[in-house]
Amino acid sequence: MGKKQDMPPKHQSPDQPELAAEKGRPGVVDSRASSAVDAERGLAPEGQLPIDPELQAARDEAQATFARYQRLAADFDNYKRRTRQELGDRTQYANEELLRKLLPILDNLRRALDHAPEGVDPNWFEGIKMVTRQFEDTLRAQGLSTISAVGEKFDPSQHEAIAREETDEHEEGTIVEEMQPGYRLHERVLRPTLVKVAHPRALKS
């Protein structure tokens, strides 16, 4: 029988020591485990000054206080923005109720011009026209504008239908007549326009 050949010892790299042997060797401590234990105990890593628990607590409290300050600052900015918006709306629409009460007067002035009797004094008629124009200019300067109607599609947000006309000349829902003008104050409807709306003719049986 041949002699049993001894296996050559496995070559080990000098850069990779036997970790298992070192872990089992008395007096050898894993540096990573030691750092974790030190951190739990509030100790500084080797080569650094110890961490003062009171200083760390003060730092944590300062960070929490700064975070609260940031949240409060953001809330205050939102509050100021809402306040400015509300103040702007109150200023912009401060005369809303007064203007609404003046609209019937404007309606009557226009009716007087539209139904002036024949033979009326021309000077009187021109005077009423001038007063009406001045009144309209004053209301317009306050942000009042008319709402377009005839030829437009009916919009319930700014039109009010009080009659309908059966016709094949207009698409269904088209406004064919303005019964009373409507007005808008800036972006808000002050009074809807009263209108007559087209409706398709009923089919004869």
Side-chain angles (χ1 to χ4, degrees):
M1 295 179 62
K3 293 183 180 180
K4 186 178 180 180
Q5 295 182 356
D6 295 331
M7 297 295 293
K10 188 176 181 180
H11 179 69
Q12 295 180 351
S13 171
D15 296 334
Q16 298 178 349
E18 295 183 352
L19 297 179
E22 288 188 359
K23 288 182 179 179
R25 188 182 305 164
V28 177
V29 180
D30 190 342
S31 60
R32 291 173 296 180
S34 177
S35 299
V37 172
D38 290 345
E40 292 179 358
R41 295 178 178 177
L43 301 178
E46 185 178 355
Q48 297 183 13
L49 295 176
I51 300 175
D52 187 346
E54 294 184 359
L55 177 59
Q56 185 62 43
R59 288 176 178 173
D60 294 341
E61 180 63 24
Q63 291 177 351
T65 301
F66 182 68
R68 287 195 298 270
Y69 163 76
Q70 288 181 314
R71 289 193 297 270
L72 288 174
D75 291 342
F76 185 62
D77 286 341
N78 292 333
Y79 166 76
K80 290 194 298 183
R81 185 162 47 250
R82 288 195 305 270
T83 301
R84 284 195 300 267
Q85 181 65 38
E86 292 173 359
L87 180 60
D89 288 344
R90 284 198 296 268
T91 302
Q92 193 173 36
Y93 298 102
N95 297 327
E96 180 177 1
E97 191 59 31
L98 174 61
L99 293 174
R100 184 179 286 109
K101 292 179 179 179
L102 291 176
L103 291 181
I105 301 175
L106 179 60
D107 294 335
N108 290 331
L109 286 172
R110 287 176 172 169
R111 290 190 187 100
L113 293 174
D114 293 339
H115 299 88
E118 295 183 3
V120 69
D121 185 351
N123 293 328
W124 177 88
F125 187 77
E126 289 299 321
I128 296 298
K129 285 178 62 176
M130 183 177 65
V131 170
T132 303
R133 283 196 300 268
Q134 289 177 339
F135 195 21
E136 290 173 340
D137 291 341
T138 300
L139 297 179
R140 194 176 298 112
Q142 298 301 314
L144 196 73
S145 60
T146 57
I147 298 174
S148 57
V150 177
E152 302 285 338
K153 291 290 290 185
F154 177 77
D155 181 356
S157 67
Q158 55 186 359
H159 303 134
E160 182 178 343
I162 60 173
R164 70 179 188 176
E165 179 179 319
E166 292 187 353
T167 177
D168 296 329
E169 298 179 1
H170 302 280
E171 184 180 352
E172 182 179 6
T174 302
I175 297 173
V176 296
E177 185 178 349
E178 180 183 288
M179 314 298 287
Q180 178 179 275
Y183 296 92
R184 184 184 292 106
L185 179 59
H186 300 294
E187 301 301 324
R188 185 180 298 175
V189 174
L190 188 63
R191 187 180 76 180
T193 307
L194 303 184
V195 298
K196 180 187 290 186
V197 182
H199 187 75
R201 294 182 185 276
L203 297 177
K204 295 182 180 180
S205 57

